[in-house]
Amino acid sequence: MGRRARGRRLQQQQQQQRPTRAEDSAEGGGKRQEAGWEGGYPEIVKENKLFEHYYQELKIVPEGEWDRFMEALREPLPATLRITGYKSHAKEILHCLKNKYFKELEDLEVDGQKVEVPQPLSWYPEELAWHTNLSRKILRKSPQLEKFHQFLVSETESGNISRQEAVSMIPPLLLNAHPHHKILDMCAAPGSKTTQLIEMLHADMNVPFPEGFVIANDVDNKRCYLLVHQAKRLSSPCIMVVNHDASSIPRLQIDVNGRKEILFYDRILCDVPCSGDGTMRKNIDVWKKWTTLNSLQLHGLQLRIATRGAEQLVEGGRMVYSTCSLNPIEDEAVIASLLEKSEGALELADVSSELPGLKWMPGITHWKVMTKDGQWFTVWEDVPHSRHTQVRPTMFPPKDPEKLQAMHLERCLRILPHHQNTGGFFVAVLVKKSSMPWNKRPPKLQGEPVEPREPVRSSPAHPTGGAAADPAEPERKPVSGLDDTDVTERPENVESSGSRKGGVCGPPPSKKMKLFGFKEDPFVFIPEDDPLFPPIQKFYALDPSFPKMNLLTRTTEGKKRQLYMVSKELRNVLVNNSERMKVINTGIKVWCRNNSGEEFDCAFRLAQEGIYTLYPFINSRIITVSIEDVKILLTQENPFFRKLSSETYSQAKDLAKGSIVLKYEPDPTKPDTLQCPIVLCGWRGKASIRTFVPKNERLHYLRMMGLEVLAEKKKEGTVLAQEGAGGSGPPEDEVSAEHGAEPAASTDTRAHAASGPSDPAPAEAALSR
């Protein structure tokens, strides 16, 4: 290798080692110095004259506030966290945060700067979202904040906290979703907004299967696994992750009383890809890379995605369009164009009173278009022919003043960074009044089969739906008078499809849809007469109302190792659309085959991941434990019966060996103790009881009981081994667990995300006691 080649390689290695994101800058080494708390990128000058010229000309910032606006953009973004609101112990976490961790931050100084005690976001309900001036680097590297940082990491992993940018929390709130709503998240990865939507479905934790569901989509196959990982933390049977281009996401159909109908969604979140200039505070690269060309190139895609969303929205439904860009080409121009082409089918909702405390600027009604070389255009007619590929007519405001006024673009929300110390953001809330004009069609001739039309309202008991267009067909320009429900089904798409025999929902064949990334395992529903189920039903005394038709596995051959569960509404979607969509993941694990299970009365043990869904249907093998018992069970590997309370022993002594449920009920007469119920999976051995709870969930419950367990304690005999490591293998693979060993963690992100956290089978030693 020559000297020049060696020099080039060294330069490439240095570039690869350089951090590429502001939040990762702590890993980049180097000292803070002039970069301050931001933790890196001292070489990036936070200046972009074109950016300043562009936005000053468009006047999106109120008069006299420009300097404050730019100053805020140059400051690092505050850390924000959101407490998962639907779990019964959200109040316990909030109490723990306020009375322990936040108190420890009072009067604390780090590197000479006073740490501000976190404050609740004024506009987020029930004090469930908080922000602090602590940057990610300070949190990670400061010894004084070690406990607080471990708390955040552990609670995030167990799904009790989401570390999410404040403005990112706004779209799901404005979507106003309820447990019976069918929700589509069109561009969902990495998934923080999706988790908010799942929380809204489970607003009532006493209902294990809400009637609604979330279908979360992303075009990037790899990012879909990140999405799965995020969604899995919430252990919901009502979430499905799919992999499609959002601008041509296929129409799905469902079965309603024996009749195929098109699935229309009650709520659609349309958080589109954007240039991201509202994220300058955390993505510092935007400072040097910003140009108007980014917006010009994205506008068409954003409009196509929003249009596709509007087509699939039920009449009376609500769609939220959002970007982390301040640029009207990506914001108001897309909304105005969508409203114009909808011809009254859509209207902007007035949501000014829905988030009291949130400061925002109304949408603008006039703007200009600037090319990448700085040339301005006010109307489409002035654009030379040579620019027509770069600048499109839909980028300009409507010319008709009356039409423009009727759009009420001022109902859009633009959040500016300096108003509440956040990132920049844009949100528009649309309500659908009638079918899109190209979906309206003349009445059918007599004798022709009548196809369903869009209903006025989707009732929980009668989900809407119908025939779907073939997803392999690219989206074409809509033809007036033709509803896309008119597209006839290909013979192989009809119910008699071979891939659906026996309840098998396989991945779509490559002829229909080009598959990217990994080929997914099939989703196979357990047949009603499967001999596998009766022993389970008898062992756990399952209630007759238990929906066994919703059980599925991920294999068509061999022993069924894991049983997953979905809601009946998602089952309906899966069974009727196996060839229309590429499903990455759905369902939560409820049972795992245990080693030598045939020796006991049941070959399947309970999985912690799905216990809160399963528990309402279980009528036997439940042991009620005290708070002291819970502490022992979570800190010792196989405590003997004698270590537990006499009440617990009296319940356990007559039970046969095998899987059990451990239930803690709070005592309202003792307000100082943990005031939320806990349900744990366990194993009743010969003379001991063992819990099967993933590491971070153990830490969570112990923390809620006032015990702080740091990482070093592992060496002192406390059982805090990562029980979720088993998820790093394929969903049906528990080979290492069968040999009594806990599976080692793996870096196989895809498999880990696909199978989610699991808990290994009990070791032989535990079973022999």
Side-chain angles (χ1 to χ4, degrees):
M1 185 186 293
R3 188 176 59 187
R4 287 184 182 176
R6 277 198 300 272
R8 278 198 301 271
R9 174 164 291 187
L10 183 62
Q11 198 173 14
Q12 285 170 357
Q13 287 172 347
Q14 288 170 344
Q15 286 172 348
Q16 287 167 1
Q17 288 166 4
R18 190 178 300 153
T20 54
R21 299 196 313 267
E23 57 265 41
D24 293 335
S25 56
E27 265 72 70
K31 295 184 179 177
R32 226 173 267 109
Q33 295 171 356
E34 68 272 21
W37 277 31
E38 191 179 305
Y41 287 112
E43 76 278 7
I44 290 185
V45 179
K46 294 181 180 178
E47 294 284 345
N48 189 310
K49 294 301 179 190
L50 183 64
F51 173 87
E52 294 193 43
H53 169 65
Y54 182 74
Y55 281 117
Q56 280 180 317
E57 187 74 22
L58 290 177
K59 295 182 171 54
I60 65 158
V61 178
E63 198 75 36
E65 294 184 21
W66 181 260
D67 290 343
R68 283 176 52 214
F69 168 72
M70 291 304 297
E71 191 179 321
L73 280 179
R74 293 186 178 104
E75 287 294 316
L77 192 67
T80 47
L81 60 92
R82 181 173 57 78
I83 298 167
T84 300
Y86 79 94
K87 293 192 175 178
S88 55
H89 42 249
K91 287 180 181 174
E92 295 289 330
I93 298 171
L94 182 57
H95 179 79
C96 186
L97 270 172
K98 288 165 79 170
N99 294 288
K100 183 180 180 191
Y101 294 100
F102 291 169
K103 279 197 182 304
E104 289 175 4
L105 299 180
E106 290 175 6
D107 305 318
L108 184 66
E109 284 195 7
V110 176
D111 290 354
Q113 296 195 46
K114 189 177 186 310
V115 174
E116 293 174 15
V117 176
Q119 297 296 318
L121 294 175
S122 60
W123 44 268
Y124 201 95
E126 300 179 52
E127 286 194 340
L128 290 177
W130 294 71
H131 69 107
T132 169
N133 68 334
L134 294 166
S135 70
R136 287 171 182 251
K137 174 164 185 177
I138 292 294
L139 275 171
R140 280 200 296 244
K141 299 296 182 184
S142 170
Q144 302 103 303
L145 297 170
E146 184 185 9
K147 276 188 186 178
F148 185 43
H149 182 243
Q150 282 195 12
F151 168 83
L152 291 178
V153 170
S154 176
E155 294 297 320
T156 300
E157 276 301 307
S158 57
N160 299 304
I161 277 178
S162 284
R163 296 160 82 180
Q164 180 180 353
E165 191 175 340
V167 286
S168 167
M169 304 174 192
I170 297 170
L173 289 177
L174 290 177
L175 205 58
N176 193 24
H178 294 286
H180 65 275
H181 283 151
K182 293 157 188 61
I183 306 168
L184 173 63
D185 190 350
M186 298 188 77
C187 309
S192 55
K193 298 181 187 70
T194 311
T195 57
Q196 261 179 289
L197 297 174
I198 296 171
E199 289 173 36
M200 292 170 185
L201 283 183
H202 293 276
D204 183 356
M205 277 299 284
N206 294 318
V207 181
F209 293 102
E211 291 176 342
F213 55 75
V214 177
I215 293 180
N217 173 70
D218 203 85
V219 68
D220 187 320
N221 185 264
K222 288 180 182 175
R223 281 166 63 87
C224 281
Y225 294 102
L226 184 59
L227 183 55
V228 169
H229 176 73
Q230 285 278 66
K232 281 280 181 184
R233 296 182 307 130
L234 273 73
S235 300
S236 169
C238 306
I239 169 76
M240 180 188 291
V241 176
V242 299
N243 182 202
H244 290 279
D245 176 356
S247 64
S248 56
I249 191 166
R251 274 203 189 274
L252 303 181
Q253 67 179 29
I254 52 176
D255 185 271
V256 180
N257 300 324
R259 166 180 173 172
K260 296 287 188 289
E261 291 187 1
I262 287 182
L263 170 61
F264 289 102
Y265 300 94
D266 302 293
R267 297 287 185 267
I268 295 181
L269 182 56
C270 191
D271 187 54
V272 295
C274 65
S275 60
D277 57 24
T279 68
M280 281 179 157
R281 299 182 69 176
K282 65 173 184 177
N283 297 326
I284 307 180
D285 272 351
V286 178
W287 281 98
K288 62 179 181 181
K289 292 179 179 177
W290 189 92
T291 166
T292 55
L293 183 61
N294 298 337
S295 296
L296 300 177
Q297 290 175 334
L298 285 164
H299 169 88
L301 174 64
Q302 291 163 338
L303 181 55
R304 289 196 302 277
I305 293 174
T307 303
R308 190 60 177 160
E311 287 174 348
Q312 302 212 18
L313 189 64
V314 74
E315 288 180 29
R318 180 179 273 211
M319 180 171 91
V320 170
Y321 174 89
S322 61
T323 74
C324 48
S325 166
L326 302 172
N327 199 325
I329 306 303
E330 303 175 63
D331 299 340
E332 286 90 348
V334 172
I335 295 299
S337 180
L338 183 60
L339 289 171
E340 192 166 20
K341 71 199 286 191
S342 79
E343 297 176 10
L346 299 172
E347 76 171 27
L348 274 170
D350 181 357
V351 293
S352 55
S353 61
E354 292 194 16
L355 290 180
L358 178 66
K359 294 178 183 174
W360 50 275
M361 295 299 298
I364 60 177
T365 53
H366 294 90
W367 61 88
K368 299 183 287 183
V369 178
M370 188 172 88
T371 60
K372 64 176 181 180
D373 51 6
Q375 191 175 0
W376 288 97
F377 296 104
T378 310
V379 290
W380 164 250
E381 288 72 20
D382 294 345
V383 181
H385 194 270
S386 60
R387 299 281 191 188
H388 281 190
T389 54
Q390 187 185 122
V391 180
R392 306 299 303 149
T394 52
M395 295 175 182
F396 294 89
K399 285 183 289 187
D400 185 341
E402 287 184 15
K403 190 183 282 186
L404 183 61
Q405 190 176 358
M407 287 181 178
H408 294 292
L409 290 178
E410 73 280 356
R411 291 179 178 173
C412 299
L413 280 60
R414 181 176 273 103
I415 291 95
L416 298 179
H418 63 290
H419 284 164
Q420 280 176 304
N421 197 12
T422 63
F425 214 70
F426 175 87
V427 190
V429 181
L430 295 148
V431 174
K432 191 170 184 179
K433 296 295 183 184
S434 62
S435 292
M436 300 299 274
W438 54 88
N439 287 345
K440 291 172 182 172
R441 57 186 182 177
K444 281 277 181 183
L445 296 174
Q446 201 167 6
E448 289 189 12
V450 178
E451 298 219 12
R453 299 196 59 174
E454 275 190 71
V456 175
R457 189 77 191 157
S458 164
S459 72
H462 299 285
T464 55
D470 190 338
E473 293 292 320
E475 186 167 352
R476 297 186 174 89
K477 189 174 180 181
V479 181
S480 180
L482 179 70
D483 187 332
D484 61 359
T485 57
D486 274 331
V487 180
T488 55
E489 291 284 324
R490 293 187 179 185
E492 60 267 39
N493 271 2
V494 184
E495 194 177 359
S496 60
S497 167
S499 73
R500 285 238 327 272
K501 286 178 182 174
V504 179
C505 305
S510 54
K511 287 181 186 175
K512 294 276 185 65
M513 193 185 311
K514 190 171 181 183
L515 289 173
F516 297 97
F518 302 98
K519 184 177 173 66
E520 295 300 323
D521 292 325
F523 296 84
V524 188
F525 284 95
I526 306 290
E528 203 163 355
D529 56 353
D530 195 312
L532 168 148
F533 186 69
I536 296 176
Q537 189 164 26
K538 183 181 176 185
F539 190 70
Y540 297 103
L542 294 179
D543 194 85
S545 65
F546 178 76
K548 61 182 178 182
M549 290 292 288
N550 301 349
L551 285 173
L552 59 88
T553 63
R554 298 296 303 272
T555 181
T556 51
E557 299 170 1
K559 271 189 177 180
K560 298 174 178 67
R561 298 256 168 227
Q562 324 248 9
L563 299 183
Y564 301 88
M565 198 159 195
V566 293
S567 65
K568 70 175 184 198
E569 288 79 11
L570 269 190
R571 182 188 194 278
N572 195 345
V573 174
L574 264 173
V575 168
N576 286 292
N577 300 280
S578 62
E579 294 194 353
R580 286 183 181 82
M581 58 182 185
K582 182 182 177 188
V583 180
I584 300 296
N585 195 271
T586 191
I588 51 168
K589 184 174 15 170
V590 286
W591 279 292
C592 311
R593 186 180 290 274
N594 62 259
N595 180 40
S596 308
E598 287 77 5
E599 294 176 16
F600 309 102
D601 294 330
C602 178
F604 286 87
R605 65 177 180 83
L606 298 162
Q608 183 68 26
E609 182 183 326
I611 192 60
Y612 284 96
T613 298
L614 211 52
Y615 176 73
F617 300 101
I618 297 175
N619 291 311
S620 78
R621 304 195 63 77
I622 299 171
I623 297 177
T624 304
V625 292
S626 68
I627 195 157
E628 291 306 319
D629 290 332
V630 175
K631 289 177 184 176
I632 291 168
L633 288 163
L634 291 177
T635 54
Q636 297 183 29
E637 186 167 2
N638 289 303
F640 287 104
F641 292 151
R642 64 173 179 268
K643 292 189 177 181
L644 303 171
S645 66
S646 57
E647 292 85 355
T648 299
Y649 173 68
S650 64
Q651 296 172 75
K653 65 183 174 64
D654 296 327
L655 281 180
K657 286 196 289 184
S659 192
I660 54 172
V661 177
L662 300 159
K663 177 70 187 289
Y664 163 75
E665 286 286 0
D667 185 350
T669 63
K670 298 178 181 176
D672 292 338
T673 59
L674 186 64
Q675 288 299 300
C676 65
I678 295 177
V679 183
L680 306 173
C681 291
W683 184 270
R684 195 269 195 215
K686 191 175 180 182
S688 67
I689 290 178
R690 179 183 181 180
T691 53
F692 286 102
V693 182
K695 169 192 165 186
N696 288 310
E697 212 167 321
R698 286 175 185 248
L699 290 173
H700 162 72
Y701 291 130
L702 290 170
R703 240 182 238 113
M704 295 303 103
M705 292 183 285
L707 297 178
E708 186 68 40
V709 186
L710 293 175
E712 304 89 79
K713 293 284 180 74
K714 288 182 188 177
K715 297 171 186 173
E716 297 170 19
T718 303
V719 180
L720 295 171
Q722 175 63 59
E723 300 227 28
S728 59
E732 301 298 329
D733 184 18
E734 264 195 343
V735 176
S736 56
E738 285 193 359
H739 291 287
E742 294 201 352
S746 163
T747 55
D748 186 348
T749 311
R750 174 226 167 201
H752 176 78
S755 57
S758 67
D759 28 24
E764 295 295 345
L767 300 183
S768 61
R769 277 188 175 177

